[in-house]
């Protein structure tokens, strides 16, 4: 694992296909997610005022988080997630901020003909709306997330779906050529790094999101950075 500031990029590590997590990587969704959680919990008479505690929900599956952190059973989990979505679909997804420098990074990558994909545990329908809201949808060839019925929530499944789609497209375009495009996943939580490893691709852990350095180091991404501005050292140099 390398700190980005120490990287001397090897020529053969130029990445062609770049997958981005959404929450904590492209955007800072804290306000909207926390407000949506509080709204959902209030339906069960639970008042939660510890916003820091609720940051644990940013990144992993909502189904798992409500079960782990509030001991909802299987039926209750689906109901509370539906309450969460009531608020999130109307207001929460827009209570969100694009991280500084993200649009400039995406523009630089696109100028170099990189293939960019969003791979998130958030439902695809919401992820598409969010990147459209921020005007960055033009940079991505695909947006892959979970399904509203609670399936495809594991990050490894999302990444696999994204890679399967793009590999089909690149194999069709490069029929007869010996081309193996290099791929990398960028995310702020351990789930992003583990999902990348399970799909046999490299990863970058970003520290400006909601995962700690200890969390990311424990799962061993190829690179770690705390700044959007220096991601170019991994992705372009």
């Amino acid at each position: 694992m390398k700190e980005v500031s120490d990287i001397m990029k090897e020529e053969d590590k130029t990445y062609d296909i770049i997958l981005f997590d959404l929450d904590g990587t492209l955007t800072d969704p804290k306000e909207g997610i926390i407000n949506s959680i509080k709204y959902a919990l209030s339906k069960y008479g639970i008042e939660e005022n510890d916003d820091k505690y609720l940051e644990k929900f940013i990144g992993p599956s909502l189904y798992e988080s409500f079960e782990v952190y509030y001991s909802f059973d299987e039926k209750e989990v689906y109901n509370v997630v539906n309450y969460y979505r009531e608020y999130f679909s109307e207001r929460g997804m827009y209570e969100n901020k694009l991280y500084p420098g993200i649009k400039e990074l995406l523009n630089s990558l696109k100028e170099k003909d990189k293939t960019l994909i969003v791979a998130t545990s958030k439902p695809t329908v919401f992820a598409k709306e969010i990147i459209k809201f921020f005007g960055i949808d033009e940079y991505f060839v695909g947006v892959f997330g979970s399904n509203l019925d609670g399936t495809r929530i594991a990050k490894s499944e999302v990444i696999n779906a994204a890679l399967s789609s793009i590999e089909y497209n690149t194999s069709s375009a490069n029929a007869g050529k010996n081309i193996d495009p290099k791929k990398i996943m960028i995310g702020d939580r351990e789930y992003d790094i583990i999902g990348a490893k399970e799909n046999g691709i490299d990863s970058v852990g970003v520290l400006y999101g909601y995962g700690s350095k200890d969390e990311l180091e424990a799962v061993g991404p190829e690179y770690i950075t705390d700044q959007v501005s220096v991601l170019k050292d991994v992705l372009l140099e």
Side-chain angles (χ1 to χ4, degrees):
M1 176 174 37
K2 304 175 184 178
E3 293 285 351
V4 171
S5 59
D6 298 329
I7 290 173
M8 297 295 290
K9 270 309 287 296
E10 302 92 343
E11 184 177 348
D12 67 349
K13 276 292 186 180
T14 298
Y15 294 101
D16 307 292
I17 299 173
I18 303 169
L19 285 68
F20 285 89
D21 176 43
L22 180 57
D23 293 343
T25 302
L26 293 174
T27 74
D28 182 353
K30 178 179 176 178
E31 181 182 357
I33 288 179
I34 286 179
N35 286 342
S36 300
I37 295 167
K38 287 181 176 179
Y39 173 85
L41 292 174
S42 72
K43 298 296 184 178
Y44 287 84
I46 301 171
E47 182 178 351
E48 179 60 77
N49 296 312
D50 187 348
D51 288 3
K52 188 68 177 177
Y53 180 77
L54 295 180
E55 286 182 11
K56 296 178 180 181
F57 280 76
I58 302 175
S61 160
L62 285 172
Y63 295 94
E64 294 177 3
S65 295
F66 277 116
E67 181 180 2
V68 171
Y69 301 126
Y70 287 95
S71 301
F72 285 103
D73 62 29
E74 185 175 352
K75 182 178 179 180
E76 289 172 334
V77 161
Y78 281 93
N79 289 335
V80 75
V81 168
N82 285 335
Y83 285 130
Y84 172 97
R85 289 173 178 165
E86 283 183 7
Y87 185 95
F88 189 80
S89 62
E90 293 295 323
R91 296 178 58 183
M93 76 169 76
Y94 307 112
E95 296 171 332
N96 202 344
K97 299 175 183 177
L98 196 67
Y99 282 114
I102 285 294
K103 199 161 190 177
E104 293 78 6
L105 174 63
L106 296 176
N107 189 61
S108 296
L109 295 173
K110 203 65 175 177
E111 286 180 347
K112 295 293 186 179
D113 295 322
K114 305 299 182 181
T115 297
L116 309 181
I117 307 169
V118 174
T120 173
S121 294
K122 186 180 295 299
T124 304
V125 62
F126 295 145
K128 287 182 175 180
E129 182 66 25
I130 290 166
I131 67 167
K132 182 179 179 180
F133 173 72
F134 284 113
I136 58 173
D137 51 316
E138 63 180 296
Y139 297 109
F140 296 98
V141 301
V143 178
F144 294 83
S146 60
N147 300 318
L148 288 172
D149 64 2
T151 58
R152 202 169 75 184
I153 59 176
K155 202 53 173 277
S156 59
E157 294 178 306
V158 175
I159 293 173
N160 180 263
L163 293 177
S164 296
S165 172
I166 201 65
E167 284 173 358
Y168 173 80
N169 291 333
T170 55
S171 63
S172 298
N174 299 306
K177 301 178 183 178
N178 185 23
I179 294 177
D180 181 20
K182 294 189 178 298
K183 313 169 189 72
I184 192 165
M185 174 74 201
I186 303 169
D188 68 315
R189 299 298 307 273
E190 62 181 335
Y191 314 97
D192 302 303
I193 311 308
I194 293 169
K197 287 181 178 297
E198 291 178 347
N199 282 278
I201 66 173
D202 286 357
S203 61
V204 181
V206 296
L207 293 173
Y208 57 80
Y210 289 90
S212 69
K213 188 172 184 178
D214 287 345
E215 174 186 333
L216 293 173
E217 286 185 337
V219 291
E222 277 64 36
Y223 311 101
I224 290 180
T225 181
D226 61 359
Q227 299 179 54
V228 172
S229 62
V230 297
L231 276 173
K232 288 183 183 180
D233 293 335
V234 172
L235 304 174
L236 288 177
E237 297 301 322

